[in-house]
């Protein structure tokens, strides 16, 4: 399988800021992203949801950019922007016409240096985040399922088990002092990766980055914590009731190998999930949805949010299905166990490997075709793996996985090492 060959350069400023530069002439756009090495799992107890709240605060202005002006500067040249909070990092990104690169670098440098953290902006964004939770979780069928319901059953430590979207009491009692302490601890230039991808001149971009970021004072970078914890030794159970869900759902969760420290051991699990789930010919869909008609949909994926390369340390493998009747749950779980057991014994067929691997690689390469998504992926790989070059290596690494390794990954998904979380629709609860 032919691997991509994205051009990648890197530099490091004296204040510790790591920079990834991935030029691609004539792509017509330039993408900028800043990844900070802090996410939901670094939130202190009593401040659930704070990493996400702070992401919102970073759009409230900075020393030289008044509140709400960030959007005007980006959208005023036809660009777009956003940010997102993940278990292990928080990212901010923009995509713009190439001539606007320096404008964007100025904006990111200004808020890395001095975001506007005031009582007014704090209260404004607490209200925004609470409304986001109401819309995406509390008033939406299956909102936050299972990414909010699974961790407290599968994991024991606060870092892995708590509600990363945030408890309303924790959000409402957050203070400006909390925000300033969080910024001082985690938003140091040495705790971040700046990525520029797309249509730009390498030397000119390097000069701009020096001009805008080099005078941001260096600060102490916190020691990277370990979020690893032992896997369960007995099957665990949890349940939630969803007043908006029309039918029940069930999620089975296991811990996976460490995606960063044990990438070779992790990749077979990623492929296993696609053998189980990807397409109408996948084992879960074929057996559970089509032949037995036990569920309307069935899924299998790695990672809290379904991105297998999005976090380090403790990570989750999830099998999830939505079923029309609650009394078919036990039968369906037993069938999932049979399917996984067959894969553990015989491994995937050659036809399955030939079907799944090209689809996985083509999906990855399609994502990388987008200038914005390529910049984000390179930044994530640099932050978590220390190697943006993984973007070039991943197709070959996936292609090298043998069916026996996938069988071994399936054998690790035992009933005694998993969590079972049941979502009950209101009428069946």
């Amino acid at each position: 399988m032919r691997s991509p060959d994205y051009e990648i350069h890197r530099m490091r400023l004296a204040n510790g800021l790591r920079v990834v530069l991935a030029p691609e002439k004539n792509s017509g756009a330039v993408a900028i992203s800043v990844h900070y090495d802090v996410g939901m799992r670094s939130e202190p107890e009593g401040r659930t949801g704070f990493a996400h709240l702070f992401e919102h605060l970073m759009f409230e202005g900075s020393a030289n950019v008044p509140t709400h002006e960030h959007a005007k500067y980006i959208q005023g040249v036809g660009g777009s922007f956003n940010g997102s909070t993940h278990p292990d990092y928080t990212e901010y990104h923009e995509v713009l016409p190439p001539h606007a690169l320096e404008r964007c670098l100025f904006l990111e440098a200004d808020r890395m240096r001095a975001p506007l953290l005031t009582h007014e902006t704090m209260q404004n964004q607490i209200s925004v985040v609470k409304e986001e939770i109401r819309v995406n979780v509390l008033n939406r069928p299956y909102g936050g399922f299972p990414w909010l319901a699974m961790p407290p059953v599968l994991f024991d430590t606060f870092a892995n088990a708590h509600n990363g979207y945030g408890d309303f009491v924790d959000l409402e009692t957050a203070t400006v002092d909390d925000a300033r302490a969080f910024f001082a601890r985690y938003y140091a230039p040495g705790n971040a990766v700046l990525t520029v991808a797309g249509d730009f001149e390498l030397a000119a971009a390097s000069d701009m980055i020096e001009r805008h970021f080099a005078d941001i004072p260096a600060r102490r970078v916190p020691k990277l914590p370990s979020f690893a914890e032992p896997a369960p030794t007995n099957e665990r159970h949890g349940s939630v009731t969803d007043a908006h869900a029309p039918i029940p759902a069930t999620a089975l969760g296991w811990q996976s190998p460490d995606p960063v420290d044990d990438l070779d051991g992790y990749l077979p699990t990623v492929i296993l999930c696609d053998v189980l789930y990807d397409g109408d010919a996948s084992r879960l869909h074929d057996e559970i949805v089509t032949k037995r008609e036990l569920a309307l949909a069935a899924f299998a994926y790695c990672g809290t949010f379904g991105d297998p390369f999005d976090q380090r340390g403790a990570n989750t493998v999830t099998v999830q299905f939505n079923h029309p009747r609650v009394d078919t749950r036990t039968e369906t779980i037993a069938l999932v166990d049979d399917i996984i057991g067959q894969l553990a014994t015989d491994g995937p067929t050659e036809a399955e490997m030939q079907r799944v691997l090209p689809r996985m690689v083509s999906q990855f390469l399609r994502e990388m075709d987008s200038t914005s998504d390529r910049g984000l992926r390179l930044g994530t790989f640099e932050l978590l793996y220390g190697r943006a070059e993984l973007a070039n290596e991943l197709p070959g690494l996936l292609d090298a996985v043998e069916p026996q390794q996938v069988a071994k990954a399936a054998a690790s998904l035992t009933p005694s090492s998993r969590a079972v979380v049941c979502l009950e629709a209101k009428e069946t609860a």
Side-chain angles (χ1 to χ4, degrees), residues 92-297:
Y92 305 86
H93 65 269
E94 297 86 5
V95 60
L96 315 94
H99 68 80
L101 171 60
E102 185 158 16
R103 169 187 300 220
C104 189
L105 292 173
F106 158 75
L107 292 170
E108 288 295 355
D110 203 55
R111 63 181 174 181
M112 180 182 286
R113 182 183 294 103
L116 195 59
L117 304 174
T118 67
H119 178 76
E120 182 181 5
T121 59
M122 174 68 81
Q123 294 307 309
N124 178 36
Q125 288 308 314
I126 288 173
S127 298
V128 171
V129 169
K130 288 171 60 180
E131 184 61 20
E132 186 178 315
I133 294 172
R134 291 188 186 98
V135 171
N136 292 334
V137 177
L138 301 179
N139 294 311
R140 172 180 293 184
Y142 311 105
F145 185 79
W147 78 268
L148 288 175
M150 176 61 72
V153 184
L154 181 61
F155 296 104
D156 294 322
T157 63
F158 172 80
N160 291 322
H162 78 273
N163 173 1
Y165 228 158
D167 181 272
F168 275 16
V169 172
D170 289 350
L171 291 169
E172 289 165 352
T173 55
T175 67
V176 176
D177 286 344
D178 292 330
R180 289 172 179 161
F182 195 82
F183 172 77
R185 178 172 175 79
Y186 293 113
Y187 276 65
N191 207 37
V193 171
L194 166 67
T195 304
V196 182
D199 196 349
F200 65 90
E201 293 290 341
L202 189 60
S206 300
D207 289 345
M208 292 178 201
I209 290 166
E210 287 278 358
R211 186 156 57 244
H212 292 288
F213 287 89
D215 66 346
I216 300 174
R219 299 200 302 275
R220 180 177 173 272
V221 174
K223 182 181 178 182
L224 194 63
S226 170
F227 298 119
E229 61 176 272
T233 54
N234 293 293
E235 187 174 75
R236 299 179 176 186
H237 296 269
S239 64
V240 294
T241 300
D242 188 334
H244 305 286
I247 61 174
T250 301
L252 313 177
W254 295 264
Q255 282 199 41
S256 76
D258 189 317
V260 175
D261 289 344
D262 185 17
L263 181 59
D264 289 342
Y266 176 66
L267 290 179
T269 305
V270 178
I271 293 174
L272 170 65
C273 286
D274 273 44
V275 170
L276 288 169
Y277 162 58
D278 189 32
D280 290 348
S282 66
R283 296 205 182 197
L284 288 180
H285 186 88
D286 186 50
E287 289 290 336
I288 294 175
V289 178
T290 304
K291 291 180 179 175
R292 307 291 184 92
E293 297 182 348
L294 292 170
L296 299 183

Side-chain angles (χ1 to χ4, degrees), residues 3 45 85 138 144 169 203 227 277 309 326 411 425:
S3 295
E45 294 192 40
T85 307
L138 301 179
V169 172
F227 298 119
Y277 162 58
F309 305 107
V326 72

Side-chain angles (χ1 to χ4, degrees), residues 32-48:
I32 297 91
S33 63
V34 182
H35 288 66
Y36 291 93
D37 204 336
V38 58
M40 300 170 183
R41 294 203 282 197
S42 293
E43 294 164 347
E45 294 192 40
R47 286 293 174 262
T48 60

